[in-house]
Amino acid sequence: MSNIKNKIDVLDFKISGNLSEYTDSLLFDHDVIASLETNEYKVTIEIIGDKRIIFDDEVYKSACNYPEELINILKQSDYFDNDRIEIIDNNWFEIDIYERDSINNVYELIDDDVLEIDISAMSEGSLKEYMVKYLEDYLKEFSKSDIDNDMEMEEINWMN
């Protein structure tokens, strides 16, 4: 456990923008909303995926090109019932874990998952705590699977 705690000492934590604005991923193009770095890992919350929205017979693939009326409609939670909008492709909020490759000093993606929390209702502090806990839980699970694999190898060696 103390080994895991050493791996999650936060060196840097950044948030781009105001968290309360991140109510729906469709309102944004790809972006890194938050990043948290330790000596070995980086955890990010990103907007991932392509968008294709038909609004009043026009196709929109980028939030920066939306007309103001579409933005206002997307800010409402019931836009799926709007006959003027058809969402062909949508993006999503995702939490990713990257591990630092000590040889090349680059980060490699090792885990990604759709973000199931409402970050627009969180404070910066609670988001940071969430990201640290997510990394901690991942490392605990990863450590558990390593122990299970080691036990299986010992069992195989014992049988031979």
Side-chain angles (χ1 to χ4, degrees):
M1 178 71 168
S2 62
N3 191 25
I4 289 175
K5 288 288 185 194
N6 292 337
K7 292 182 178 188
I8 57 174
D9 285 338
V10 177
L11 301 176
D12 192 29
F13 177 68
K14 295 178 186 168
I15 292 181
S16 75
N18 183 342
L19 289 178
S20 66
E21 294 176 5
Y22 293 103
T23 56
D24 193 305
S25 61
L26 288 174
L27 292 167
F28 301 92
D29 295 318
H30 182 270
D31 193 11
V32 176
I33 298 168
S35 68
L36 180 143
E37 288 188 46
T38 71
N39 280 325
E40 297 178 43
Y41 299 95
K42 181 191 292 186
V43 180
T44 61
I45 294 180
E46 302 180 38
I47 300 170
I48 302 291
D50 296 323
K51 297 180 298 300
R52 193 165 38 134
I53 300 172
I54 300 173
F55 175 66
D56 288 344
D57 298 321
E58 292 286 327
V59 177
Y60 296 94
K61 296 180 180 179
S62 178
C64 65
N65 294 326
Y66 294 166
E68 193 66 33
E69 188 176 7
L70 176 57
I71 293 169
N72 290 333
I73 291 170
L74 291 174
K75 287 181 178 180
Q76 301 169 6
S77 60
D78 59 352
Y79 59 81
F80 287 105
D81 296 330
N82 190 313
D83 293 335
R84 296 172 59 198
I85 297 176
E86 182 180 0
I87 299 172
I88 307 298
D89 296 317
N90 68 290
N91 58 3
W92 58 92
F93 295 114
E94 184 172 281
I95 186 163
D96 299 332
I97 299 177
Y98 298 86
E99 185 172 28
R100 186 188 310 260
D101 175 346
S102 59
I103 296 170
N104 298 318
N105 200 30
V106 295
Y107 286 103
E108 296 177 0
L109 181 66
I110 58 171
D111 182 67
D112 61 337
D113 201 3
V114 173
L115 189 66
E116 300 290 341
I117 60 170
D118 179 6
I119 59 173
S120 70
M122 299 179 82
S123 68
E124 289 185 14
S126 61
L127 182 60
K128 180 180 178 181
E129 286 175 26
Y130 176 84
M131 293 169 75
V132 168
K133 178 85 169 93
Y134 189 88
L135 176 59
E136 185 178 81
D137 291 348
Y138 174 82
L139 293 174
K140 284 179 187 175
E141 185 63 31
F142 184 69
S143 296
K144 181 181 177 299
S145 66
D146 277 353
I147 291 168
D148 291 344
N149 288 339
D150 289 345
M151 290 174 65
E152 286 176 23
M153 289 303 292
E154 286 178 22
E155 186 175 316
I156 291 169
N157 290 337
W158 179 78
M159 296 173 89
N160 291 331

